[in-house]
Amino acid sequence: IAVHGQTLDSRGVMHLFRCLQEIFANIVKHAGASQVTVRTWLDAGHIVLSVADNGRGLGADSMRAGGGRGLANIRLRASELGAAVTFADAAPGTIVRLTFAPMQTPETRAQH
């Protein structure tokens, strides 16, 4: 898996796997969703990965409280990957988005 223009080491792959595992577990356990969409794209040099469902959503109370232990684990593992994570209401459902630091291109590598 390539992120930041580099290949993730085994620890990074495990953090990404555990983030996705927690996201899917939350969907199964809490969302009552009938559809899940996983997308990746490049946005201004950033790799973005999103998981969206059409379930109940997180709700305002959960968002204000920062979510439970599962969301805290996702935040922690994302930070270990150097990614920003956001949780958003999709009305219906939830979108979890991981945004990784800008990719290094051959041109930007030469500048360092």
Side-chain angles (χ1 to χ4, degrees), residues 2-6 40-49 81-84 98-109 112:
V3 178
H4 306 211
Q6 302 169 3
T40 59
W41 67 94
L42 193 60
D43 182 18
H46 296 266
I47 295 173
V48 183
L49 182 147
L81 287 167
L98 296 164
T99 304
F100 295 88
M103 288 179 46
Q104 290 186 348
T105 63
E107 296 80 29
T108 58
R109 277 189 217 118
H112 290 110

PDB file of all heavy atoms in Angstrom, residues 2-6 40-49 81-84 98-109 112:
ATOM      1  N   ALA A   2       0.667   2.138  -0.933  1.00  0.00           N
ATOM      2  CA  ALA A   2       1.483   3.342  -1.018  1.00  0.00           C
ATOM      3  C   ALA A   2       0.719   4.538  -0.475  1.00  0.00           C
ATOM      4  O   ALA A   2      -0.413   4.789  -0.852  1.00  0.00           O
ATOM      5  CB  ALA A   2       1.891   3.601  -2.456  1.00  0.00           C
ATOM      6  N   VAL A   3       1.325   5.241   0.449  1.00  0.00           N
ATOM      7  CA  VAL A   3       0.789   6.477   1.016  1.00  0.00           C
ATOM      8  C   VAL A   3       1.961   7.421   1.166  1.00  0.00           C
ATOM      9  O   VAL A   3       3.062   7.001   1.490  1.00  0.00           O
ATOM     10  CB  VAL A   3       0.131   6.226   2.396  1.00  0.00           C
ATOM     11  CG1 VAL A   3      -0.370   7.510   3.002  1.00  0.00           C
ATOM     12  CG2 VAL A   3      -1.013   5.232   2.268  1.00  0.00           C
ATOM     13  N   HIS A   4       1.745   8.691   0.952  1.00  0.00           N
ATOM     14  CA  HIS A   4       2.784   9.713   1.055  1.00  0.00           C
ATOM     15  C   HIS A   4       3.865   9.486   0.003  1.00  0.00           C
ATOM     16  O   HIS A   4       4.992   9.900   0.191  1.00  0.00           O
ATOM     17  CB  HIS A   4       3.483   9.717   2.408  1.00  0.00           C
ATOM     18  CG  HIS A   4       2.600   9.828   3.593  1.00  0.00           C
ATOM     19  ND1 HIS A   4       2.987  10.437   4.737  1.00  0.00           N
ATOM     20  CD2 HIS A   4       1.347   9.405   3.840  1.00  0.00           C
ATOM     21  CE1 HIS A   4       2.041  10.381   5.641  1.00  0.00           C
ATOM     22  NE2 HIS A   4       1.033   9.755   5.105  1.00  0.00           N
ATOM     23  N   GLY A   5       3.514   8.797  -1.068  1.00  0.00           N
ATOM     24  CA  GLY A   5       4.506   8.513  -2.081  1.00  0.00           C
ATOM     25  C   GLY A   5       5.479   7.429  -1.656  1.00  0.00           C
ATOM     26  O   GLY A   5       6.457   7.168  -2.311  1.00  0.00           O
ATOM     27  N   GLN A   6       5.202   6.810  -0.498  1.00  0.00           N
ATOM     28  CA  GLN A   6       6.044   5.743   0.003  1.00  0.00           C
ATOM     29  C   GLN A   6       5.155   4.557   0.325  1.00  0.00           C
ATOM     30  O   GLN A   6       3.966   4.688   0.495  1.00  0.00           O
ATOM     31  CB  GLN A   6       6.776   6.204   1.258  1.00  0.00           C
ATOM     32  CG  GLN A   6       7.632   7.435   1.036  1.00  0.00           C
ATOM     33  CD  GLN A   6       8.128   8.000   2.356  1.00  0.00           C
ATOM     34  OE1 GLN A   6       7.876   7.455   3.411  1.00  0.00           O
ATOM     35  NE2 GLN A   6       8.830   9.107   2.272  1.00  0.00           N
ATOM     36  N   THR A  40     -11.674   5.999  -2.833  1.00  0.00           N
ATOM     37  CA  THR A  40     -10.377   6.651  -2.675  1.00  0.00           C
ATOM     38  C   THR A  40     -10.200   7.608  -3.843  1.00  0.00           C
ATOM     39  O   THR A  40     -10.706   7.370  -4.940  1.00  0.00           O
ATOM     40  CB  THR A  40      -9.203   5.647  -2.669  1.00  0.00           C
ATOM     41  OG1 THR A  40      -9.202   4.927  -3.894  1.00  0.00           O
ATOM     42  CG2 THR A  40      -9.298   4.698  -1.501  1.00  0.00           C
ATOM     43  N   TRP A  41      -9.503   8.697  -3.596  1.00  0.00           N
ATOM     44  CA  TRP A  41      -9.199   9.650  -4.655  1.00  0.00           C
ATOM     45  C   TRP A  41      -8.037  10.521  -4.217  1.00  0.00           C
ATOM     46  O   TRP A  41      -7.606  10.491  -3.074  1.00  0.00           O
ATOM     47  CB  TRP A  41     -10.421  10.493  -5.031  1.00  0.00           C
ATOM     48  CG  TRP A  41     -10.913  11.444  -3.974  1.00  0.00           C
ATOM     49  CD1 TRP A  41     -10.591  12.764  -3.823  1.00  0.00           C
ATOM     50  CD2 TRP A  41     -11.836  11.162  -2.919  1.00  0.00           C
ATOM     51  NE1 TRP A  41     -11.239  13.301  -2.748  1.00  0.00           N
ATOM     52  CE2 TRP A  41     -12.009  12.344  -2.180  1.00  0.00           C
ATOM     53  CE3 TRP A  41     -12.522  10.024  -2.517  1.00  0.00           C
ATOM     54  CZ2 TRP A  41     -12.851  12.419  -1.068  1.00  0.00           C
ATOM     55  CZ3 TRP A  41     -13.348  10.093  -1.413  1.00  0.00           C
ATOM     56  CH2 TRP A  41     -13.508  11.282  -0.707  1.00  0.00           C
ATOM     57  N   LEU A  42      -7.539  11.275  -5.156  1.00  0.00           N
ATOM     58  CA  LEU A  42      -6.440  12.203  -4.926  1.00  0.00           C
ATOM     59  C   LEU A  42      -7.007  13.608  -4.943  1.00  0.00           C
ATOM     60  O   LEU A  42      -7.713  13.984  -5.888  1.00  0.00           O
ATOM     61  CB  LEU A  42      -5.387  12.022  -6.024  1.00  0.00           C
ATOM     62  CG  LEU A  42      -4.035  12.666  -5.807  1.00  0.00           C
ATOM     63  CD1 LEU A  42      -3.374  12.136  -4.546  1.00  0.00           C
ATOM     64  CD2 LEU A  42      -3.143  12.394  -7.011  1.00  0.00           C
ATOM     65  N   ASP A  43      -6.732  14.390  -3.902  1.00  0.00           N
ATOM     66  CA  ASP A  43      -7.245  15.760  -3.791  1.00  0.00           C
ATOM     67  C   ASP A  43      -6.083  16.681  -3.441  1.00  0.00           C
ATOM     68  O   ASP A  43      -5.589  16.652  -2.312  1.00  0.00           O
ATOM     69  CB  ASP A  43      -8.335  15.825  -2.718  1.00  0.00           C
ATOM     70  CG  ASP A  43      -8.952  17.197  -2.575  1.00  0.00           C
ATOM     71  OD1 ASP A  43      -8.804  18.033  -3.492  1.00  0.00           O
ATOM     72  OD2 ASP A  43      -9.599  17.440  -1.536  1.00  0.00           O
ATOM     73  N   ALA A  44      -5.647  17.446  -4.401  1.00  0.00           N
ATOM     74  CA  ALA A  44      -4.538  18.392  -4.215  1.00  0.00           C
ATOM     75  C   ALA A  44      -3.315  17.700  -3.604  1.00  0.00           C
ATOM     76  O   ALA A  44      -2.685  18.210  -2.685  1.00  0.00           O
ATOM     77  CB  ALA A  44      -4.983  19.576  -3.364  1.00  0.00           C
ATOM     78  N   GLY A  45      -3.002  16.513  -4.101  1.00  0.00           N
ATOM     79  CA  GLY A  45      -1.841  15.779  -3.636  1.00  0.00           C
ATOM     80  C   GLY A  45      -2.087  14.907  -2.420  1.00  0.00           C
ATOM     81  O   GLY A  45      -1.220  14.148  -2.026  1.00  0.00           O
ATOM     82  N   HIS A  46      -3.259  15.030  -1.803  1.00  0.00           N
ATOM     83  CA  HIS A  46      -3.607  14.213  -0.637  1.00  0.00           C
ATOM     84  C   HIS A  46      -4.365  12.976  -1.095  1.00  0.00           C
ATOM     85  O   HIS A  46      -5.281  13.075  -1.906  1.00  0.00           O
ATOM     86  CB  HIS A  46      -4.524  14.983   0.321  1.00  0.00           C
ATOM     87  CG  HIS A  46      -3.895  16.180   0.930  1.00  0.00           C
ATOM     88  ND1 HIS A  46      -3.266  16.150   2.145  1.00  0.00           N
ATOM     89  CD2 HIS A  46      -3.810  17.459   0.489  1.00  0.00           C
ATOM     90  CE1 HIS A  46      -2.814  17.357   2.433  1.00  0.00           C
ATOM     91  NE2 HIS A  46      -3.128  18.170   1.445  1.00  0.00           N
ATOM     92  N   ILE A  47      -4.007  11.820  -0.553  1.00  0.00           N
ATOM     93  CA  ILE A  47      -4.808  10.620  -0.768  1.00  0.00           C
ATOM     94  C   ILE A  47      -5.951  10.669   0.232  1.00  0.00           C
ATOM     95  O   ILE A  47      -5.735  10.903   1.426  1.00  0.00           O
ATOM     96  CB  ILE A  47      -3.979   9.343  -0.556  1.00  0.00           C
ATOM     97  CG1 ILE A  47      -2.877   9.245  -1.607  1.00  0.00           C
ATOM     98  CG2 ILE A  47      -4.876   8.113  -0.575  1.00  0.00           C
ATOM     99  CD1 ILE A  47      -1.907   8.116  -1.379  1.00  0.00           C
ATOM    100  N   VAL A  48      -7.160  10.485  -0.262  1.00  0.00           N
ATOM    101  CA  VAL A  48      -8.344  10.502   0.590  1.00  0.00           C
ATOM    102  C   VAL A  48      -9.036   9.150   0.468  1.00  0.00           C
ATOM    103  O   VAL A  48      -9.201   8.635  -0.633  1.00  0.00           O
ATOM    104  CB  VAL A  48      -9.321  11.633   0.180  1.00  0.00           C
ATOM    105  CG1 VAL A  48     -10.520  11.674   1.118  1.00  0.00           C
ATOM    106  CG2 VAL A  48      -8.609  12.973   0.144  1.00  0.00           C
ATOM    107  N   LEU A  49      -9.422   8.584   1.598  1.00  0.00           N
ATOM    108  CA  LEU A  49     -10.171   7.346   1.650  1.00  0.00           C
ATOM    109  C   LEU A  49     -11.428   7.633   2.458  1.00  0.00           C
ATOM    110  O   LEU A  49     -11.342   8.184   3.552  1.00  0.00           O
ATOM    111  CB  LEU A  49      -9.353   6.255   2.329  1.00  0.00           C
ATOM    112  CG  LEU A  49      -9.988   4.871   2.414  1.00  0.00           C
ATOM    113  CD1 LEU A  49      -8.907   3.808   2.325  1.00  0.00           C
ATOM    114  CD2 LEU A  49     -10.802   4.679   3.655  1.00  0.00           C
ATOM    115  N   LEU A  81      -0.803   6.949  11.382  1.00  0.00           N
ATOM    116  CA  LEU A  81      -0.573   6.878   9.931  1.00  0.00           C
ATOM    117  C   LEU A  81      -0.222   8.234   9.335  1.00  0.00           C
ATOM    118  O   LEU A  81       0.098   8.330   8.162  1.00  0.00           O
ATOM    119  CB  LEU A  81      -1.849   6.377   9.225  1.00  0.00           C
ATOM    120  CG  LEU A  81      -2.185   4.924   9.372  1.00  0.00           C
ATOM    121  CD1 LEU A  81      -3.608   4.662   8.912  1.00  0.00           C
ATOM    122  CD2 LEU A  81      -1.207   4.083   8.570  1.00  0.00           C
ATOM    123  N   GLY A  82      -0.344   9.301  10.126  1.00  0.00           N
ATOM    124  CA  GLY A  82      -0.146  10.647   9.601  1.00  0.00           C
ATOM    125  C   GLY A  82      -1.344  11.127   8.819  1.00  0.00           C
ATOM    126  O   GLY A  82      -1.226  11.942   7.910  1.00  0.00           O
ATOM    127  N   ALA A  83      -2.525  10.609   9.170  1.00  0.00           N
ATOM    128  CA  ALA A  83      -3.753  10.978   8.455  1.00  0.00           C
ATOM    129  C   ALA A  83      -4.682  11.750   9.382  1.00  0.00           C
ATOM    130  O   ALA A  83      -4.741  11.486  10.580  1.00  0.00           O
ATOM    131  CB  ALA A  83      -4.471   9.728   7.957  1.00  0.00           C
ATOM    132  N   ALA A  84      -5.410  12.672   8.796  1.00  0.00           N
ATOM    133  CA  ALA A  84      -6.481  13.362   9.512  1.00  0.00           C
ATOM    134  C   ALA A  84      -7.750  12.552   9.300  1.00  0.00           C
ATOM    135  O   ALA A  84      -7.987  12.036   8.206  1.00  0.00           O
ATOM    136  CB  ALA A  84      -6.660  14.774   8.973  1.00  0.00           C
ATOM    137  N   LEU A  98     -10.535   9.591   5.811  1.00  0.00           N
ATOM    138  CA  LEU A  98      -9.120   9.652   6.180  1.00  0.00           C
ATOM    139  C   LEU A  98      -8.396  10.427   5.085  1.00  0.00           C
ATOM    140  O   LEU A  98      -8.467  10.058   3.907  1.00  0.00           O
ATOM    141  CB  LEU A  98      -8.523   8.253   6.286  1.00  0.00           C
ATOM    142  CG  LEU A  98      -9.089   7.355   7.374  1.00  0.00           C
ATOM    143  CD1 LEU A  98      -8.695   5.908   7.113  1.00  0.00           C
ATOM    144  CD2 LEU A  98      -8.591   7.797   8.721  1.00  0.00           C
ATOM    145  N   THR A  99      -7.692  11.479   5.472  1.00  0.00           N
ATOM    146  CA  THR A  99      -6.945  12.298   4.515  1.00  0.00           C
ATOM    147  C   THR A  99      -5.474  12.229   4.887  1.00  0.00           C
ATOM    148  O   THR A  99      -5.078  12.644   5.977  1.00  0.00           O
ATOM    149  CB  THR A  99      -7.439  13.758   4.531  1.00  0.00           C
ATOM    150  OG1 THR A  99      -8.851  13.773   4.280  1.00  0.00           O
ATOM    151  CG2 THR A  99      -6.724  14.585   3.484  1.00  0.00           C
ATOM    152  N   PHE A 100      -4.697  11.692   3.975  1.00  0.00           N
ATOM    153  CA  PHE A 100      -3.278  11.495   4.218  1.00  0.00           C
ATOM    154  C   PHE A 100      -2.490  12.715   3.759  1.00  0.00           C
ATOM    155  O   PHE A 100      -2.921  13.456   2.887  1.00  0.00           O
ATOM    156  CB  PHE A 100      -2.788  10.243   3.488  1.00  0.00           C
ATOM    157  CG  PHE A 100      -3.413   8.986   4.014  1.00  0.00           C
ATOM    158  CD1 PHE A 100      -4.617   8.534   3.510  1.00  0.00           C
ATOM    159  CD2 PHE A 100      -2.800   8.276   5.031  1.00  0.00           C
ATOM    160  CE1 PHE A 100      -5.211   7.380   4.003  1.00  0.00           C
ATOM    161  CE2 PHE A 100      -3.383   7.119   5.533  1.00  0.00           C
ATOM    162  CZ  PHE A 100      -4.593   6.678   5.025  1.00  0.00           C
ATOM    163  N   ALA A 101      -1.306  12.892   4.335  1.00  0.00           N
ATOM    164  CA  ALA A 101      -0.429  14.000   3.971  1.00  0.00           C
ATOM    165  C   ALA A 101      -0.167  13.974   2.466  1.00  0.00           C
ATOM    166  O   ALA A 101      -0.286  12.926   1.837  1.00  0.00           O
ATOM    167  CB  ALA A 101       0.882  13.902   4.738  1.00  0.00           C
ATOM    168  N   PRO A 102       0.186  15.126   1.894  1.00  0.00           N
ATOM    169  CA  PRO A 102       0.409  15.171   0.441  1.00  0.00           C
ATOM    170  C   PRO A 102       1.410  14.125  -0.022  1.00  0.00           C
ATOM    171  O   PRO A 102       2.387  13.838   0.665  1.00  0.00           O
ATOM    172  CB  PRO A 102       0.960  16.575   0.202  1.00  0.00           C
ATOM    173  CG  PRO A 102       0.495  17.371   1.353  1.00  0.00           C
ATOM    174  CD  PRO A 102       0.435  16.407   2.519  1.00  0.00           C
ATOM    175  N   MET A 103       1.084  13.546  -1.171  1.00  0.00           N
ATOM    176  CA  MET A 103       1.989  12.576  -1.775  1.00  0.00           C
ATOM    177  C   MET A 103       3.248  13.282  -2.240  1.00  0.00           C
ATOM    178  O   MET A 103       3.199  14.423  -2.682  1.00  0.00           O
ATOM    179  CB  MET A 103       1.327  11.915  -2.987  1.00  0.00           C
ATOM    180  CG  MET A 103       0.243  10.952  -2.653  1.00  0.00           C
ATOM    181  SD  MET A 103      -0.493  10.234  -4.130  1.00  0.00           S
ATOM    182  CE  MET A 103       0.921   9.783  -5.104  1.00  0.00           C
ATOM    183  N   GLN A 104       4.352  12.586  -2.156  1.00  0.00           N
ATOM    184  CA  GLN A 104       5.587  13.109  -2.717  1.00  0.00           C
ATOM    185  C   GLN A 104       5.704  12.635  -4.153  1.00  0.00           C
ATOM    186  O   GLN A 104       5.575  11.446  -4.431  1.00  0.00           O
ATOM    187  CB  GLN A 104       6.793  12.628  -1.920  1.00  0.00           C
ATOM    188  CG  GLN A 104       6.892  13.247  -0.553  1.00  0.00           C
ATOM    189  CD  GLN A 104       8.180  12.839   0.128  1.00  0.00           C
ATOM    190  OE1 GLN A 104       8.886  11.945  -0.306  1.00  0.00           O
ATOM    191  NE2 GLN A 104       8.493  13.508   1.208  1.00  0.00           N
ATOM    192  N   THR A 105       5.893  13.572  -5.030  1.00  0.00           N
ATOM    193  CA  THR A 105       6.129  13.249  -6.433  1.00  0.00           C
ATOM    194  C   THR A 105       7.638  13.274  -6.659  1.00  0.00           C
ATOM    195  O   THR A 105       8.389  13.764  -5.819  1.00  0.00           O
ATOM    196  CB  THR A 105       5.460  14.285  -7.354  1.00  0.00           C
ATOM    197  OG1 THR A 105       6.071  15.555  -7.118  1.00  0.00           O
ATOM    198  CG2 THR A 105       3.960  14.376  -7.091  1.00  0.00           C
ATOM    199  N   PRO A 106       8.107  12.768  -7.789  1.00  0.00           N
ATOM    200  CA  PRO A 106       9.552  12.846  -8.048  1.00  0.00           C
ATOM    201  C   PRO A 106      10.079  14.277  -7.960  1.00  0.00           C
ATOM    202  O   PRO A 106      11.173  14.502  -7.501  1.00  0.00           O
ATOM    203  CB  PRO A 106       9.699  12.281  -9.465  1.00  0.00           C
ATOM    204  CG  PRO A 106       8.529  11.343  -9.595  1.00  0.00           C
ATOM    205  CD  PRO A 106       7.408  12.012  -8.815  1.00  0.00           C
ATOM    206  N   GLU A 107       9.257  15.256  -8.355  1.00  0.00           N
ATOM    207  CA  GLU A 107       9.691  16.656  -8.310  1.00  0.00           C
ATOM    208  C   GLU A 107       9.848  17.138  -6.880  1.00  0.00           C
ATOM    209  O   GLU A 107      10.809  17.810  -6.543  1.00  0.00           O
ATOM    210  CB  GLU A 107       8.692  17.565  -9.051  1.00  0.00           C
ATOM    211  CG  GLU A 107       8.573  17.307 -10.536  1.00  0.00           C
ATOM    212  CD  GLU A 107       7.677  16.115 -10.865  1.00  0.00           C
ATOM    213  OE1 GLU A 107       6.745  15.806 -10.088  1.00  0.00           O
ATOM    214  OE2 GLU A 107       7.919  15.475 -11.893  1.00  0.00           O
ATOM    215  N   THR A 108       8.867  16.804  -5.998  1.00  0.00           N
ATOM    216  CA  THR A 108       8.965  17.276  -4.613  1.00  0.00           C
ATOM    217  C   THR A 108      10.050  16.535  -3.857  1.00  0.00           C
ATOM    218  O   THR A 108      10.667  17.093  -2.966  1.00  0.00           O
ATOM    219  CB  THR A 108       7.614  17.148  -3.868  1.00  0.00           C
ATOM    220  OG1 THR A 108       7.189  15.796  -3.876  1.00  0.00           O
ATOM    221  CG2 THR A 108       6.557  18.042  -4.464  1.00  0.00           C
ATOM    222  N   ARG A 109      10.306  15.269  -4.174  1.00  0.00           N
ATOM    223  CA  ARG A 109      11.402  14.539  -3.543  1.00  0.00           C
ATOM    224  C   ARG A 109      12.738  15.187  -3.868  1.00  0.00           C
ATOM    225  O   ARG A 109      13.629  15.250  -3.019  1.00  0.00           O
ATOM    226  CB  ARG A 109      11.411  13.077  -3.988  1.00  0.00           C
ATOM    227  CG  ARG A 109      10.459  12.227  -3.218  1.00  0.00           C
ATOM    228  CD  ARG A 109      10.654  10.758  -3.534  1.00  0.00           C
ATOM    229  NE  ARG A 109       9.324  10.159  -3.528  1.00  0.00           N
ATOM    230  CZ  ARG A 109       8.740   9.592  -4.539  1.00  0.00           C
ATOM    231  NH1 ARG A 109       9.364   9.465  -5.684  1.00  0.00           N
ATOM    232  NH2 ARG A 109       7.534   9.104  -4.445  1.00  0.00           N
ATOM    233  N   HIS A 112      13.795  18.070  -1.607  1.00  0.00           N
ATOM    234  CA  HIS A 112      14.153  17.830  -0.207  1.00  0.00           C
ATOM    235  C   HIS A 112      15.564  17.406  -0.079  1.00  0.00           C
ATOM    236  O   HIS A 112      16.311  16.800  -0.349  1.00  0.00           O
ATOM    237  CB  HIS A 112      13.216  16.802   0.429  1.00  0.00           C
ATOM    238  CG  HIS A 112      11.850  17.369   0.614  1.00  0.00           C
ATOM    239  ND1 HIS A 112      10.773  16.945  -0.119  1.00  0.00           N
ATOM    240  CD2 HIS A 112      11.399  18.346   1.424  1.00  0.00           C
ATOM    241  CE1 HIS A 112       9.697  17.615   0.231  1.00  0.00           C
ATOM    242  NE2 HIS A 112      10.071  18.472   1.177  1.00  0.00           N
TER     243      HIS A 112
END
